[in-house]
Amino acid sequence: MIVRRLTCGGLVHSHLHANLKRLQGSQVMARPSSDLAALREIFSKAKNIAIITGAGVSAESGVPTFRGAGGYWRKWQAQELATPEAFSRNPSRVWEFYHYRREVMLTKNPNKAHLAIAECEERLSKQGRTVTVITQNIDELHRRAGSKNILEIHGSLFKTRCMTCGHEAANYKSPICAELEGKGAPDPETNDARIPVDKLPRCEHKGCHGLLRPAVVWFGESLDSDILTSAEKVLDSCDLCLVVGTSSIVYPAAMFAPQVAARGVAVAESNMENTPATMRFKFHFQGPCGTTLPPALALHDTEQTRVLDISCTQTTLSNTGGLYWYKYQKYLVDYNEQCGDGVLDK
């Protein structure tokens, strides 16, 4: 079991951080390798690949992370606005914040890292192999890049949930309501719009008209149990794990990859800098995700061989015709040799 006991979202929790420290101290750890060829060899054999992504991936698309120095919207940091208490106190201000983020995202596009993941998933699916993205990001850039197997553990900017009836739905309106048009400027000198609650986004499901909130996991809230269960299955069965653009300080996601590593599975971290979990991993590649990730996920020589083998089988059977179909089983034993003799050139 990887994640079932880790259901509380938020920044570093001291007891979980201590747990990670115990994991780190439980075995002697060598410095992670940056040998791309060695990672590619493991990649070529992997059947179930888990890719955990964080804000660093989206940052390369120009998405504000609201982390670290300068990570403010007006005079507030994200963790001051992304809470149930903040929404209860001032839903207008919180909706301005999320309206701003939604509108910004509509101007951004997936970058090379997003596209490499999506292309890899599509390519490997044709070989009976799986790639699953477990993302902390709420921007849907993975989806827009073409990824299909996505677990959004923190929700989505483009989904809403009704505070009255609980109905959750996709919502791509721009603006999400008339009163928010032109609002949400991040400048510290900007005054709150103070939009009346009845003018904020409202539920349209079966005439409910309840107040909507962003369908994201706020600090202090539990993650969706169904998504956690799905993530647990992916992490328990993966034979390669990539950790891309994540700080490894937001729990429970910060524990995902270290616990995969603890069962002996290769984990490769791609990030601009070391993280608290770096020494737990077999590989670490420092630099922009859009630079380090595409070579790791590109078509491997063994995949090209598989394509050639299939083509060889089809060509040979076509040339020999149905009369020799009975030789097919013997052919499967000998087809590599036949391919080497130039069958494909005929």
Side-chain angles (χ1 to χ4, degrees), residues 227-242:
I227 293 177
L228 276 177
T229 297
S230 297
E232 178 182 90
K233 291 178 181 177
V234 170
L235 296 167
D236 279 344
S237 63
C238 71
D239 47 12
L240 174 63
C241 179
L242 306 182

Side-chain angles (χ1 to χ4, degrees), residues 9-10 135-138 152-156 215-217 223 250-253:
T135 187
Q136 301 170 74
N137 300 334
I138 60 175
E152 296 169 321
I153 63 171
H154 291 161
S156 168
V216 298
V217 179
L223 276 66
V250 178
Y251 286 83

Side-chain angles (χ1 to χ4, degrees), residues 65-134:
T65 63
F66 298 102
R67 293 277 168 80
Y72 286 81
W73 177 83
R74 295 180 186 168
K75 58 183 179 181
W76 296 281
Q77 289 189 309
Q79 55 266 40
E80 297 177 88
L81 298 168
T83 70
E85 294 79 16
F87 190 73
S88 178
R89 286 193 304 267
N90 196 330
S92 174
R93 177 186 296 158
V94 173
W95 259 122
E96 277 198 86
F97 174 58
Y98 280 97
H99 168 66
Y100 166 73
R101 297 179 70 180
R102 284 166 59 96
E103 295 299 304
V104 166
M105 281 314 308
L106 293 175
T107 70
K108 306 301 180 183
N109 293 304
N111 60 54
K112 292 179 180 178
H114 295 109
L115 296 172
I117 292 170
E119 190 279 331
C120 181
E121 178 192 328
E122 181 180 16
R123 190 180 78 242
L124 297 193
S125 69
K126 298 174 182 177
Q127 304 169 27
R129 303 160 70 190
T130 64
V131 175
T132 304
V133 176
I134 302 173

Side-chain angles (χ1 to χ4, degrees), residues 200-254:
L200 291 172
R202 312 299 296 190
C203 181
E204 299 177 357
H205 181 64
K206 297 181 179 179
C208 171
H209 205 60
L211 176 64
L212 292 178
R213 57 161 282 181
V216 298
V217 179
W218 282 331
F219 291 100
E221 292 186 324
S222 296
L223 276 66
D224 183 282
S225 60
D226 291 337
I227 293 177
L228 276 177
T229 297
S230 297
E232 178 182 90
K233 291 178 181 177
V234 170
L235 296 167
D236 279 344
S237 63
C238 71
D239 47 12
L240 174 63
C241 179
L242 306 182
V243 188
V244 186
T246 176
S247 62
S248 292
I249 63 171
V250 178
Y251 286 83

